[in-house]
């Protein structure tokens, strides 16, 4: 493969998926401050505020009055990537991320409830130095997705509730890539020269379902499923060297389908006495459906590897992944509640420069302050540790390491 074709393949691959310090693959888990404080253990069954909509719509039947919850999470990663072959290190390649969310639940009667959720399940951002040796596969990357998710729930009897909803998912992606060490093969160039730029947005539909089983008032179980969403990005693709489109500095319209994998979760909640409760979750993400990235355009000629109409074809090595979480909640008094949790987040795919994925360990704590019978505030804090990962790509050896500090705040109001 030529130098020009190789850098294009790596660049487009990183357009939609990239380094993330807070979830396996490119998943976003930060849906609420209360959930963060327990490492999201039991979130499909607890229903202590309206944010349960992000996990299980069936739990809306537990609410007797309307409730609104809104908050934000701040993800402060510290991820370094070392190029062993060139002896260069890119520090803090994942910038600080701000993740907002909002939820509203409205009971209609004793059996029926509706709700609306606004949050994100997938999204990443990276910023490598412009003169990084591996700039052709690093550079700057941003992917933002927003899930607009109306839901309805129905109580079948005293023990069983079901719920479901539809999702309108909007995605926006942007990248810039640089020559890096490949500048040695391009005359009159420097490592910081751009090789490719891509901007695009799209939206598509998905759906979710959930069930809740209440053994009694102190013990319940939740099970939920959120469908795969197939986003097809369409936007401007600029080929500065002309290796794929045949013309340097050429901007064309390209399409790139990306799979946002399905997610399933099982949770349990057990109120042991007036003060103590324990809760747990097992979450499965169907990353095996993320098999390839193929960008196409009629204007990609001679095309990727000489295949006209194809701008990129890259196979991905992903397996389904699991996340396990365990937590506890302690009610100090009617005003203060504290919680803590631990989670293990499995690596989803083979580590690469664009996704230096690894196993992650969550250590979480949080609290709720009840200001009045109608208003409460949640705070959550997590230290996330990621195992060091060594991998090879494009003839070089890389090591990634780091973790993140995640903090969140949330307000809840009942009507």
């Amino acid at each position: 493969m030529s130098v020009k074709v190789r850098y294009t393949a790596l660049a487009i691959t990183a357009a939609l998926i990239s380094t993330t310090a807070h979830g396996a693959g490119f998943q976003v888990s930060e849906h609420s401050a209360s959930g963060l404080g327990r490492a999201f253990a039991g979130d499909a069954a607890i229903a202590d505020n309206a944010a349960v909509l992000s996990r299980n719509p069936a739990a809306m039947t537990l609410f007797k009055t309307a409730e609104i919850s809104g908050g934000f999470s701040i993800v402060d990663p510290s991820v370094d990537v070392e190029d062993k072959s060139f002896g260069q290190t890119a520090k803090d390649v994942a910038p600080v991320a701000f993740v907002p969310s909002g939820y509203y639940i409205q009971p209609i009667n004793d059996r029926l409830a509706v709700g609306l959720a606004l949050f994100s399940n997938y999204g990443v951002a990276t910023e490598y130095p412009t003169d990084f040796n591996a700039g052709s596969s690093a550079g700057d990357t941003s992917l933002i997705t927003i899930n607009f998710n109306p839901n309805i729930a129905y109580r079948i009897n005293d023990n069983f509730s079901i719920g479901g909803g539809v999702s309108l998912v909007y995605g926006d992606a942007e990248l810039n890539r640089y020559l890096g060490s490949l500048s040695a093969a391009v005359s009159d160039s420097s490592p910081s020269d751009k090789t490719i730029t891509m901007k695009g947005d799209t939206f598509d539909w998905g759906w979710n379902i959930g069930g809740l089983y209440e053994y009694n008032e102190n013990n319940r179980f939740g099970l939920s499923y959120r469908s795969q969403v197939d986003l097809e990005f369409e936007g401007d693709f600029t080929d500065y060297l002309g290796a794929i489109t045949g013309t340097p500095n050429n901007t064309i319209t390209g399409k790139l389908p990306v799979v946002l994998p399905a997610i399933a979760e099982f949770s349990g909640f057990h109120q042991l006495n007036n003060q103590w409760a324990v809760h747990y979750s097992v979450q499965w993400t169907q990353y095996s459906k993320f098999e390839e990235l193929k960008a196409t355009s009629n204007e990609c000629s001679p095309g990727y590897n000489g295949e006209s109409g194809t701008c990129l074809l890259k196979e991905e090595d992903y397996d389904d992944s699991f996340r396990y979480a365990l937590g506890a909640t302690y009610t100090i008094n009617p005003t203060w509640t504290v919680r803590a949790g631990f989670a293990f987040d499995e690596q989803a795919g083979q580590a690469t420069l664009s996704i230096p994925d690894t196993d992650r360990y969550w250590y979480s704590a949080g609290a709720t302050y009840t200001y009045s019978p109608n208003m409460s505030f949640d705070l959550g804090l997590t230290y996330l540790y990621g195992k060091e990962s060594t991998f090879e790509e494009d003839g070089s050896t890389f090591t990634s390491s780091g973790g993140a500090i995640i903090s969140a705040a949330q307000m809840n109001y009942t009507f």
Side-chain angles (χ1 to χ4, degrees):
M1 185 184 298
S2 71
V3 170
K4 293 183 178 181
V5 172
R6 185 176 65 227
Y7 89 71
T8 306
L10 295 173
I12 302 180
T13 299
L16 274 282
I17 48 177
S18 186
T19 305
T20 176
H22 49 292
F26 48 105
Q27 190 172 10
V28 175
S29 299
E30 292 72 34
H31 297 151
S32 70
S34 54
L36 181 68
R38 53 180 171 253
F40 301 103
D43 265 27
I46 293 181
D48 49 357
N49 54 62
V52 70
L53 265 180
S54 65
R55 301 289 186 164
N56 187 2
M60 289 193 295
T61 61
L62 296 173
F63 290 77
K64 305 304 180 185
T65 60
E67 181 164 339
I68 187 170
S69 296
F72 61 90
S73 299
I74 299 175
V75 184
D76 185 8
S78 177
V79 179
D80 300 336
V81 177
E82 182 182 0
D83 185 341
K84 295 285 189 180
S85 300
F86 284 87
Q88 185 183 24
T89 300
K91 292 185 175 296
D92 292 331
V93 299
V96 174
F98 178 85
V99 185
S101 59
Y103 312 92
Y104 177 72
I105 293 176
Q106 175 65 64
I108 305 301
N109 53 43
D110 291 341
R111 291 186 176 272
L112 187 66
V114 295
L116 176 65
L118 288 169
F119 63 101
S120 176
N121 273 326
Y122 295 97
V124 295
T126 53
E127 296 177 359
Y128 280 81
T130 58
D131 61 349
F132 190 57
N133 288 317
S136 58
S137 53
D140 308 325
T141 301
S142 173
L143 168 65
I144 299 172
T145 66
I146 301 173
N147 190 342
F148 180 83
N149 183 208
N151 293 268
I152 187 169
Y154 181 74
R155 179 178 289 278
I156 299 174
N157 54 41
D158 290 342
N159 300 107
F160 288 100
S161 297
I162 58 173
V166 295
S167 293
L168 177 62
V169 180
Y170 170 78
D172 182 271
E174 180 177 353
L175 73 89
N176 292 285
R177 290 295 177 265
Y178 308 92
L179 272 174
S181 62
L182 299 181
S183 62
V186 181
S187 61
D188 299 324
S189 66
S190 67
S192 60
D193 286 346
K194 283 186 178 180
T195 60
I196 191 173
T197 295
M198 184 175 181
K199 297 181 181 180
D201 62 354
T202 189
F203 68 89
D204 212 320
W205 295 90
W207 53 272
N208 62 294
I209 58 174
L212 184 74
Y213 173 66
E214 300 171 70
Y215 179 77
N216 54 39
E217 63 180 0
N218 293 321
N219 300 274
R220 54 183 177 267
F221 304 92
L223 181 64
S224 64
Y225 177 85
R226 188 168 295 277
S227 75
Q228 171 181 313
V229 177
D230 298 314
L231 295 179
E232 185 169 284
F233 283 87
E234 182 173 346
D236 293 335
F237 166 67
T238 302
D239 180 10
Y240 291 96
L241 297 185
I244 299 299
T245 65
T247 304
N249 300 310
N250 190 20
T251 299
I252 65 171
T253 299
K255 293 183 179 181
L256 177 65
V258 173
V259 172
L260 304 184
I263 303 170
E265 181 171 351
F266 171 77
S267 296
F269 171 80
H270 307 283
Q271 189 71 47
L272 304 180
N273 52 45
N274 290 335
Q275 292 183 300
W276 282 102
V278 296
H279 27 83
Y280 46 87
S281 289
V282 177
Q283 185 183 83
W284 165 83
T285 304
Q286 197 177 16
Y287 270 115
S288 60
K289 291 291 186 178
F290 184 62
E291 298 177 342
E292 68 174 16
L293 284 170
K294 184 176 183 179
T296 60
S297 171
N298 292 333
E299 298 180 77
C300 280
S301 179
Y304 174 77
N305 253 1
E307 183 178 339
S308 182
T310 298
C311 306
L312 163 74
L313 177 60
K314 184 178 187 301
E315 303 295 331
E316 297 293 340
D317 186 13
Y318 268 66
D319 296 317
D320 295 348
S321 68
F322 285 87
R323 184 182 189 276
Y324 307 91
L326 176 65
T329 297
Y330 180 73
T331 302
I332 300 173
N333 53 45
T335 302
W336 285 99
T337 300
V338 294
R339 56 185 63 89
F342 169 80
F344 170 65
D345 205 358
E346 279 187 342
Q347 179 175 336
Q350 177 65 40
T352 66
L353 255 182
S354 55
I355 317 173
D357 200 15
T358 186
D359 293 337
R360 295 166 172 85
Y361 302 87
W362 297 59
Y363 304 90
S364 303
T368 296
Y369 171 66
T370 303
Y371 176 75
S372 70
N374 299 97
M375 183 180 293
S376 64
F377 298 89
D378 298 313
L379 295 174
L381 183 67
T382 288
Y383 169 67
L384 192 152
Y385 167 73
K387 292 174 60 178
E388 183 176 277
S389 178
T390 299
F391 55 95
E392 293 186 2
E393 185 169 335
D394 202 26
S396 297
T397 301
F398 299 91
T399 298
S400 66
S401 60
I405 299 293
I406 309 173
S407 56
Q410 178 176 308
M411 184 187 77
N412 312 293
Y413 188 82
T414 58
F415 297 89

